[in-house]
Amino acid sequence: MPDTAFHRDSSSSHHGEDFAPSSVQRVEQAIEYAKHYLPTQGPISIFVHHNTLHAFEHLSFDEAVIEGGRLYHCEPYLAEDRYRLEVSRGRITIDDLRQVLMDDLDDAADELIAGFGTRYTLRLAMLQMTLHQASEAELQWLLAETDLLKRFQPEISLQRREYQVGQTRTWALRNQLVSQTETQSWSDAQWEAFTLRTLWRVCRQGVGTTQYCRNKQNRSLRLRDLLLETTGEDVDTFVNDVMIRFCGGFLDQGLADWTLPHRDEGFAQAFARLYAHPLTVNPNWMQGIRNALAEIPQGKFDPLDSIVRSLAAQGVAADQFDQAIRTSLLTLRGWAGMVWQAETNASSIVRPIRSGSLVEYLAIRLIVENLAIADIGARHFGEREIVRIAERGRQQWQRRARVSIDEQTFTIFQLAQAGGWTPEQLSSMSSAQWTCLAEEIDAFHAIQRRRLLHAAYERHYQTAALDALAIHCSRWRRTRPVKQPLPAFAAVFCIDDREESFRRHLEEVDPECVTSSAAGFFAVAMYYQGADHAHYRPLCPAPVTPRHYVREEPLFSAVDVGQRRAQRRRHLGQVTHQVHAHSRTMLGGWFTGVFGAVATFPMVARIMAPRLTSKIREQVGSLVRPPATELHLEREADEPGSTPESLGYSLDEMADIVVRILQDIGMVKDFPPLVLFFGHGSSSLNNPHESAYNCGACSGGRGGPNARAFAVMANDPRVRKRIETRGITLSEDVRFVGAYHNTCNDHVEYYDLDALPRTHRGLFRRIEQSVDQARARNAHERARRFESAPLDLSPTAALEHVEQRAEDLSQARPEYNHATNALVIVGRRDWTRGLFMDRRAFLTQYDPSVDDENATILNRILQAAIPVCAGISLEYYFSTVDVEGYGCGSKLPHNVASMIGVMTGAASDLRPGLSQQMVEIHEPMRITFVLETTPETINRIIDSNPPIARLVRGGWVHVALIDPETSSILRYVDGRFEPYIPESNDLPEVASSMDWYRGQREHLGFASIQNTSESSAWAT
């Protein structure tokens, strides 16, 4: 069907029954509206961290998490019990609670509530205790079968218990509620039970006098929910089973043995040809599927008309199309989102699909859904007409609109125990006071309490971070040398938080070096094909669409050897694929039964001796991998493209890239003789989410080729002549080396060392030794977070441990990736050099003295840094607060589906979030940006960049500034920057990072490292 079928004007005619053009237009608009709420995660091989609630960025953060939670049925914050635990261990202090509560209430803090104090004191009490909730049935069981009315809650102090019992005893005897004779023999336990029973009775009587009616949240009126409530049968279970299996075949990227017939004709045609075929065996509830799909093979099918008809059959009015269509697409939001991504981002997948597939997906889903509804209606109500089924369902709908008196009583009963409210006090309250109290408690419900508890949780870390920076910056300004020596060498890394510890250890090992950072694609936005890769893949941030193609090729002297090894790779791949495919056939099964036992040896070896097995595989792999290679980096044609003569960049484009990065990191003069650029990535075995561990600035790819390409460009004499005209002079004795850091096993690889002059090889050997020590120390710091790694490991043993983890077939936690990220610092390294930040900070180099008056460089940096780092942080936040809803649950039952994503078990929705093993040590917080600039400059940047403005002004991120001149700190509060006054002047000083973290597994605070000296000739 031509694409024009999905974009028609109001004068278009439609097949079948006539519908007003407005109905079709409403469907089109509703689908466009619903697309914004689908996951934007593409194929799992190109994993891009992003804000899970990207569709809600027009709202404030707190509004968005609540609205998103309602839409996706997910949690907005951590559970209230988790915050209580953090309070008990000091992660949240009473000062944090007081401050966030005062900020939240503002002028309303001092309002009196029902004679029990101010709104502030009442809510503070509610924040410090756990208010349990129970349904009517559960509460009746608690009252009858537990000590609810016999023992105070465990968290109530002994002093408060004795006070309430004593006051109640005096009041009861004075008012002759019990006789003196009767109570003379009562034990303390009996008086305690009497106090609680009296307290419950008084609370219940008081609630009964209120004029306040609290309603529960309205349940969804979707027909599926009505039927589930009234019949116990779930329409989605029937429909999803069909749609999951078909979508898996339709989106398959080469995992299946057979290609889905008629796939290229579109979603609807392929579905109809399969399920309406006379020989297809369908379940009983789908017996009407052939008639329902009859018009599709005939070419008369219009998906938009079909959607209108299906919705009309369900009794959905045109003004409800938005909600109905959004709900239908979100029922399998992982698969629906992947259909949309495969349709629109064809460059990211090998086998794209036709335009209009999502519309056809929705049309087919509604057809199948109506069949399931009709079947359930026929069996339970004797009706097949869907509108009548809906009427019968609504008649039986069991609503509980009003919260029962006992449920409201339970809340006040708990609060009375914690607040020390006696039955005498409560019994003297008027009906108006009870109403006021009930309204106030209801207004400060669980979500609101969790919102403030979370604010206190974030405040505690943010205060510690800003205090540490203020103290550290002050120390640096007092002790910095008047004239700083030229560094021995420079190492430039990605801004990735995992490189923070690597940089810190390298500076400790070799204090004469300097480290810097930039986004890990190093401005080389390209489609890249490795010498042993089958296809090009993007290596640049997700919002960027590359124009340039770069290919890795064997050196000209080794072209023949490279071709022979490429032929071996093809033959080996074909044989492996055939063995895999035919092992599931009748004849191939005999082969598997006879020789399959042989395959157990390498599998067991990968578990019992993963490091040794890896070395053996590397040796065998060298027989098929290409020998020495080079990048096809210089373009011959005028315009870039994928043809051989169009590969690469022009010299002017190379110069633009080199100038941009050198300006971004403030390296424009006084160059050391060697400058290393470290791209990064991660490698692990049996890990479908491997690309999620790679470089976020490279769309889930490995940044080694970008670092290599930048070094080649910067070493080219012709490029250097061009950049000299722009004020940057690179002398002949300055050389650049590209490198790659594997953040999983801490292996480091260097590129094109043959081109390094002999005069620089001695210095390189020194750098190599320093890097080797740094990576062992880095592995040692990382290993402390792994429960399977003993805390007394040596650095050498720790390095072996992380190497084994990366190759262990059974390892679910090869590394923790961005878990624990909490901070982004954009400024000179001077402010943070020697500051232990526990691998929690993204570090972006920026020197204001190199920038112009319009802050062009800072604007360029923040346009990438804020959305990218915020996206990483927010995806970790949402996958942590609800790992099953927003995340993808445990990776242990995951199966790769269609080479495009993962499912839980054999059939589930695609799971686009992060796994439990990736976030289990993460503290979910909005990330804090600390920027070295002035309020005037950052406000100008925010005003000119709507995406940044939404994140900053909507509270999706926190922002603070370091004044470039005074090093004082300002904090962004309610739309303005205010001076930050440190709450502590204490920052521990230790000799080395190892002295601070040794023996610790938990998150650590900040500390100053004493033995790393400042050596930066670029700083001002």
Side-chain angles (χ1 to χ4, degrees), residues 607-877:
I607 298 173
M608 303 301 295
R611 190 161 173 260
L612 176 61
T613 307
S614 172
K615 293 184 180 296
I616 295 173
R617 286 195 298 114
E618 287 181 5
Q619 294 298 320
V620 174
S622 64
L623 300 176
V624 295
R625 282 195 296 267
T629 62
E630 61 182 353
L631 297 181
H632 188 149
L633 202 58
E634 184 176 351
R635 189 175 72 244
E636 300 173 14
D638 293 334
E639 294 297 324
S642 58
T643 59
E645 65 277 3
S646 301
L647 297 178
Y649 298 80
S650 69
L651 294 176
D652 287 333
E653 290 169 337
M654 294 182 191
D656 291 339
I657 291 171
V658 174
V659 169
R660 171 179 172 173
I661 290 298
L662 295 182
Q663 287 180 343
D664 284 358
I665 64 177
M667 189 190 298
V668 294
K669 61 180 180 179
D670 300 323
F671 293 89
L674 265 181
V675 181
L676 284 77
F677 273 73
F678 286 85
H680 74 95
S682 179
S683 63
S684 52
L685 202 63
N686 192 24
N687 183 15
H689 283 89
E690 185 181 56
S691 64
Y693 294 75
N694 286 328
C695 181
C698 297
S699 294
R702 297 173 183 173
N706 302 76
R708 183 183 188 183
F710 182 89
V712 172
M713 294 177 184
N715 284 329
D716 193 314
R718 299 168 297 170
V719 174
R720 293 188 174 195
K721 288 182 180 179
R722 285 168 168 76
I723 69 173
E724 188 171 2
T725 63
R726 307 187 195 184
I728 300 178
T729 300
L730 291 170
S731 60
E732 291 185 3
D733 64 339
V734 175
R735 295 288 173 168
F736 292 80
V737 173
Y740 170 71
H741 173 218
N742 188 321
T743 58
C744 190
N745 62 15
D746 274 312
H747 174 72
V748 171
E749 178 182 356
Y750 303 95
Y751 300 110
D752 303 321
L753 293 181
D754 290 341
L756 194 64
R758 290 185 178 275
T759 53
H760 290 64
R761 293 178 183 178
L763 175 59
F764 175 78
R765 291 303 179 193
R766 165 187 167 176
I767 296 172
E768 193 175 31
Q769 291 177 1
S770 296
V771 168
D772 284 344
Q773 290 184 54
R775 67 190 188 93
R777 292 190 180 197
N778 192 57
H780 189 260
E781 182 174 338
R782 291 176 51 218
R784 75 182 183 87
R785 304 310 299 262
F786 301 131
E787 293 291 340
S788 59
L791 286 172
D792 59 354
L793 285 176
S794 68
T796 301
L799 185 59
E800 293 180 359
H801 179 84
V802 299
E803 290 173 346
Q804 289 177 350
R805 294 184 78 90
E807 298 296 334
D808 189 345
L809 186 66
S810 64
Q811 184 54 253
R813 302 166 183 82
E815 64 160 304
Y816 275 124
N817 203 2
H818 299 293
T820 75
N821 75 86
L823 196 61
V824 180
I825 299 177
V826 180
R828 288 171 286 180
R829 177 60 169 163
D830 300 322
W831 304 120
T832 57
R833 180 165 176 143
L835 181 62
F836 181 90
M837 292 182 281
D838 203 18
R839 294 170 54 85
R840 307 191 71 174
F842 295 88
L843 299 176
T844 303
Q845 190 79 12
Y846 167 67
D847 188 346
S849 67
V850 177
D851 211 347
D852 57 31
E853 61 182 10
N854 295 320
T856 303
I857 295 175
L858 180 62
N859 186 37
R860 186 168 66 206
I861 290 173
L862 295 185
Q863 282 177 341
I866 290 183
V868 170
C869 295
I872 292 172
S873 170
L874 290 167
E875 182 159 46
Y876 270 82
Y877 172 91

Side-chain angles (χ1 to χ4, degrees), residues 402-635:
R402 183 182 175 89
V403 176
S404 71
I405 290 179
D406 283 345
E407 289 178 80
Q408 295 184 65
T409 300
F410 186 42
T411 301
I412 298 179
F413 175 71
Q414 296 173 79
L415 192 58
Q417 293 181 56
W421 305 343
T422 65
E424 182 179 12
Q425 290 174 298
L426 292 171
S427 64
S428 64
M429 287 171 55
S430 66
S431 175
Q433 287 177 309
W434 277 107
T435 300
C436 178
L437 180 61
E439 289 176 344
E440 179 62 23
I441 292 174
D442 191 37
F444 201 49
H445 52 76
I447 294 295
Q448 292 300 322
R449 297 196 298 272
R450 290 160 70 187
R451 176 179 65 85
L452 285 185
L453 287 165
H454 186 77
Y457 185 70
E458 291 183 328
R459 180 187 183 276
H460 189 86
Y461 177 82
Q462 188 183 59
T463 299
L466 296 182
D467 284 356
L469 283 170
I471 298 169
H472 196 74
C473 291
S474 178
R475 287 178 183 173
W476 174 78
R477 292 184 69 87
R478 292 196 307 267
T479 60
R480 62 177 175 175
V482 177
K483 185 176 181 180
Q484 296 165 333
L486 186 72
F489 66 92
V492 182
F493 295 83
C494 180
I495 67 174
D496 194 284
D497 51 318
R498 291 169 291 178
E499 301 289 36
E500 182 271 321
S501 57
F502 196 95
R503 293 176 61 182
R504 174 165 32 86
H505 287 296
L506 184 58
E507 291 165 346
E508 290 182 44
V509 168
D510 199 334
E512 294 182 359
C513 80
V514 294
T515 68
S516 187
S517 57
F521 76 114
F522 301 122
V524 185
M526 61 180 172
Y527 287 112
Y528 175 77
Q529 183 182 21
D532 55 350
H533 295 172
H535 307 282
Y536 285 97
R537 65 159 298 146
L539 292 181
C540 59
V544 177
T545 301
R547 296 177 53 246
H548 300 84
Y549 290 76
V550 174
R551 188 168 61 205
E552 182 187 23
E553 300 172 344
L555 290 175
F556 187 71
S557 59
V559 168
D560 293 339
V561 177
Q563 289 177 345
R564 288 196 297 272
R565 294 189 178 183
Q567 190 66 24
R568 289 179 200 163
R569 286 197 305 276
R570 283 191 290 271
H571 289 324
L572 181 62
Q574 291 170 354
V575 170
T576 303
H577 176 72
Q578 292 300 320
V579 170
H580 172 73
H582 289 89
S583 66
R584 288 171 287 178
T585 63
M586 184 176 297
L587 295 178
W590 290 99
F591 179 88
T592 303
V594 175
F595 295 99
V598 178
T600 62
F601 289 102
M603 183 178 68
V604 172
R606 289 177 180 179
I607 298 173
M608 303 301 295
R611 190 161 173 260
L612 176 61
T613 307
S614 172
K615 293 184 180 296
I616 295 173
R617 286 195 298 114
E618 287 181 5
Q619 294 298 320
V620 174
S622 64
L623 300 176
V624 295
R625 282 195 296 267
T629 62
E630 61 182 353
L631 297 181
H632 188 149
L633 202 58
E634 184 176 351
R635 189 175 72 244

